[in-house]
Amino acid sequence: MIPRRSFVCFHRPRQTLKTLFTFPNPFQSDSISYSKQKVLRYTPEQVFNVVADVDSYKYFLPWCRDSRVYDRKGTKAKGLMIVGFPPFVERYTSDMTLIKPSLVRSIASGDKLFKELITEWKMSAVEEKCVVDFNISFQFRSSLHSKVATVFFDEVARTMVGAFERRCADLYGFRPISKKNLTPQK
């Protein structure tokens, strides 16, 4: 009997030529990301309904000047957002994936503001609560926007998550979280 042999194949990346001096590109912006997990006393459906209601963002989301969905087909949609504060007011469009009650994902497309913008909300049920995983990552096309964003970004992201939580409270009533241990539902 011939013994079986296992082979693992590794791909070796091409080596790049390193230089003695490297200079930062002043026109290139860095990618920025933020993640937050929050437990809310709402159902995943309720949280999903608030996050998926892009047309209402302009009423409760700070720095949102206008928001609307202009094309919706099944779980896919396109949205327009106008955000900012003077003198920085920008617009961008997003391709959205809406899978009720567990996922809202938005990817900015074809605009001059963002090189990349991915926003993702994942909702899952735990006891009579909802665990919300919020992730946002982006890279501006302009290094000026990037530099300004790095100064304020953490506060802006926290404010944004808080605005969605307050919107849930406005629509469904305030429901504080008890300090019991949370175990996933089956």
Side-chain angles (χ1 to χ4, degrees):
M1 182 169 168
I2 299 173
R4 296 180 84 192
R5 293 185 180 176
S6 298
F7 292 98
V8 178
C9 189
F10 294 99
H11 174 70
R12 176 178 275 181
R14 264 193 247 176
Q15 292 184 344
T16 57
L17 181 62
K18 293 186 179 184
T19 60
L20 182 59
F21 300 102
T22 57
F23 299 99
N25 181 347
F27 302 107
Q28 182 178 351
S29 65
D30 294 327
S31 183
I32 302 169
S33 63
Y34 177 87
S35 296
K36 174 85 173 170
Q37 185 177 73
K38 188 115 182 167
V39 178
L40 303 175
R41 191 180 287 277
Y42 302 102
T43 66
E45 291 83 6
Q46 290 172 322
V47 177
F48 175 90
N49 289 339
V50 168
V51 176
D53 186 12
V54 174
D55 294 331
S56 295
Y57 284 10
K58 59 188 162 249
Y59 301 120
F60 71 92
L61 196 56
W63 309 291
C64 182
R65 301 287 184 228
D66 195 11
S67 57
R68 67 184 91 110
V69 172
Y70 60 90
D71 188 17
R72 190 176 293 224
K73 294 176 185 163
T75 61
K76 301 293 182 184
K78 291 194 181 286
L80 169 71
M81 297 273 293
I82 299 174
V83 295
F85 49 90
F88 299 108
V89 176
E90 299 286 347
R91 74 175 47 228
Y92 65 92
T93 58
S94 293
D95 294 320
M96 300 172 0
T97 303
L98 307 159
I99 302 173
K100 192 171 190 170
S102 60
L103 176 71
V104 176
R105 180 180 295 133
S106 174
I107 301 173
S109 60
D111 63 59
K112 59 184 178 183
L113 179 60
F114 293 105
K115 190 172 194 177
E116 167 190 85
L117 170 63
I118 302 169
T119 306
E120 185 174 80
W121 296 81
K122 290 182 180 177
M123 287 69 71
S124 55
V126 174
E127 293 180 0
E128 296 175 9
K129 299 165 191 71
C130 178
V131 175
V132 178
D133 288 298
F134 171 71
N135 299 291
I136 183 170
S137 65
F138 62 91
Q139 184 175 10
F140 286 107
R141 291 197 184 277
S142 158
S143 62
L144 172 63
H145 283 110
S146 183
K147 299 299 182 217
V148 170
T150 55
V151 173
F152 301 106
F153 182 66
D154 283 347
E155 184 60 32
V156 168
R158 277 192 296 275
T159 300
M160 193 167 99
V161 171
F164 282 97
E165 187 175 3
R166 283 187 300 282
R167 181 68 171 180
C168 285
D170 290 345
L171 294 176
Y172 306 115
F174 178 70
R175 300 178 187 169
I177 296 294
S178 66
K179 300 297 180 188
K180 287 195 256 176
N181 288 335
L182 300 176
T183 56
Q185 284 183 343
K186 293 185 180 183

